[in-house]
Amino acid sequence: MMNLLVDSYNRSFSYLRLSVLPVCNFKCAYCLPNGNPTEALHQKHLTQWEIKRLVKALAGLGIEKVRLTGGEPTLRSDLPEIASLISTIPGIQKVALTTNGYRLSEIAGHLKESGVTRLNVSVDSLIPKRFFEITGQDQLLNILKGIETARKVGFQKIKVNVVVMKDVNDSEYEDFILWSQKEDLDVRFIELMSTEDNVLFFKKRHLDLASMEAMLPQMGYSLVPREKDGGPASTWKKTNTQGSVGFIRAYKNGFCDTCNRLRVTSQGELQLCLFGSGNLALRQFLQEDGLEEQIQSEVRLALAGKAPSHFLREGSHGTTRNLAAMGG
């Protein structure tokens, strides 16, 4: 299908990140150290049928991959039904999920049966005590068990997301790489990003990952081509190892040049950039069938005004209060 989602900088969009719930049961130090904002707990989120209408309209414009995010999406009891509805929409080739892994050992099989094809799991430390200090949950062993369960039910190339924080977990760099070498896991080191709520934490714990990435060629790794519908990570692979190593460096020059994703919040608002402002409300067009063309027109018009880059390096994080609101 021809992709009709192209912005004024000739970037083509085939990837949708859809938040199904902006709340989370973890209290990560860089995101929700005090738990969920009160207003997030009382929002009325998109229903299964609103989600189906939205994705169907966007698939008609060339969206091929949908990633379900949160908050923590597995806190929605109807998540398998949502995934199943999306996976049957013509044009959708991949349904992915980003999760903290809390319920993974319990529902991995259901997710696979529902059409989820890709899985990202957040694991910010391999040391139980440190994991608890970062997330507020003593759940590392349960999450590792969930990853193993997911592998057994047929998930391949599971990605592990690691938010790197200075003097917190940066010393575990080589341990994560070794894990990816021994098992079929793709580790992604993510640069800490500033939001409205974590400014002081960011100033204390931000670490430029350039020096870490520069070590990989010396360790025998080679840069591999980016997939058409892949995320923003630079991915490295070493011969005779199981997994890969990747870096998401949001403050790197040119980071936004290959942007290929749209974001929609759990309230049905189109968010052109994770750190943008001025979201476009789409929910009014999701209440009945037959409004696909109107949705498509609104999205294409909004996309024409997408900025060339975020403004993180200039100290602006848009209206993003925390990463749980949109899942990164």
Side-chain angles (χ1 to χ4, degrees), residues 12 14-15 223-235 255-261:
S12 180
S14 60
Y15 179 3
L223 195 62
V224 300
R226 181 172 175 266
E227 295 180 3
K228 173 191 171 185
D229 62 357
S234 56
T235 304
F255 177 77
C256 299
D257 292 352
T258 56
C259 183
N260 65 347
R261 60 182 63 184

Side-chain angles (χ1 to χ4, degrees), residues 157 177-185 219-222 224 236-245:
K157 290 295 179 186
I177 290 180
L178 185 61
W179 190 21
S180 75
Q181 291 176 345
K182 291 183 176 181
E183 300 187 29
D184 191 16
L185 293 167
M219 299 168 66
Y221 281 83
S222 299
V224 300
W236 298 77
K237 180 72 178 172
K238 183 178 181 178
T239 304
N240 298 324
T241 59
Q242 291 290 309
S244 68
V245 178

Side-chain angles (χ1 to χ4, degrees), residues 161 188-193 209 231-234 246-251 255:
N161 293 338
R188 296 289 179 266
F189 295 107
I190 302 174
E191 185 174 10
L192 180 65
M193 301 172 224
L209 305 186
S234 56
F247 285 83
I248 298 177
R249 294 169 52 199
Y251 291 81
F255 177 77

Side-chain angles (χ1 to χ4, degrees), residues 274-294:
L274 178 58
F275 298 101
S277 57
N279 294 354
L280 173 66
L282 295 174
R283 197 167 197 174
Q284 59 185 314
F285 308 117
L286 303 176
Q287 304 311 303
E288 57 183 287
D289 294 334
L291 298 178
E292 290 178 24
E293 290 186 4
Q294 194 160 355

Side-chain angles (χ1 to χ4, degrees), residues 123-269:
V123 184
D124 289 328
S125 176
L126 294 173
I127 301 171
K129 182 176 183 294
R130 183 175 293 159
F131 184 92
F132 173 74
E133 290 171 349
I134 294 172
T135 67
Q137 290 279 4
D138 186 16
Q139 289 292 328
L140 177 60
L141 297 183
N142 175 46
I143 291 167
L144 297 180
K145 177 184 175 183
I147 291 174
E148 184 60 31
T149 301
R151 185 184 288 110
K152 288 179 179 177
V153 302
F155 282 103
Q156 298 178 342
K157 290 295 179 186
I158 298 171
K159 291 181 180 178
V160 172
N161 293 338
V162 186
V163 176
V164 182
M165 293 161 277
K166 182 170 64 177
D167 298 330
V168 177
N169 62 351
D170 52 327
S171 62
E172 297 185 59
Y173 173 64
E174 293 184 0
D175 294 331
F176 276 106
I177 290 180
L178 185 61
W179 190 21
S180 75
Q181 291 176 345
K182 291 183 176 181
E183 300 187 29
D184 191 16
L185 293 167
D186 296 336
V187 171
R188 296 289 179 266
F189 295 107
I190 302 174
E191 185 174 10
L192 180 65
M193 301 172 224
S194 176
T195 65
E196 182 179 331
D197 285 354
N198 77 355
V199 173
L200 294 179
F201 184 89
F202 172 83
K203 289 180 178 179
K204 185 177 182 180
R205 300 301 182 190
H206 176 252
L207 186 66
D208 188 329
L209 305 186
S211 59
M212 286 186 174
E213 186 165 20
M215 293 171 61
L216 291 180
Q218 304 168 30
M219 299 168 66
Y221 281 83
S222 299
L223 195 62
V224 300
R226 181 172 175 266
E227 295 180 3
K228 173 191 171 185
D229 62 357
S234 56
T235 304
W236 298 77
K237 180 72 178 172
K238 183 178 181 178
T239 304
N240 298 324
T241 59
Q242 291 290 309
S244 68
V245 178
F247 285 83
I248 298 177
R249 294 169 52 199
Y251 291 81
K252 179 182 178 181
N253 287 333
F255 177 77
C256 299
D257 292 352
T258 56
C259 183
N260 65 347
R261 60 182 63 184
L262 300 180
R263 293 175 171 84
V264 174
T265 72
S266 65
Q267 301 300 297
E269 294 186 350

Side-chain angles (χ1 to χ4, degrees), residues 1-5 13-16 18 46 48-66 85-86 88-92 262 264 268 270 280 282-300 303:
M1 176 185 293
M2 179 180 178
N3 194 305
L4 301 176
L5 290 171
F13 297 80
S14 60
Y15 179 3
L16 170 67
L18 174 63
L46 291 176
Q48 296 177 30
W49 303 110
E50 288 173 324
I51 289 171
K52 183 177 181 180
R53 291 177 186 122
L54 170 71
V55 176
K56 185 179 178 183
L58 295 179
L61 292 174
I63 291 292
E64 298 176 347
K65 177 181 177 180
V66 178
L85 283 172
I86 291 174
T88 61
I89 293 173
I92 299 300
L262 300 180
V264 174
L270 177 69
L280 173 66
L282 295 174
R283 197 167 197 174
Q284 59 185 314
F285 308 117
L286 303 176
Q287 304 311 303
E288 57 183 287
D289 294 334
L291 298 178
E292 290 178 24
E293 290 186 4
Q294 194 160 355
I295 296 170
Q296 293 169 346
S297 176
E298 294 284 340
V299 171
R300 294 183 70 185
L303 189 59

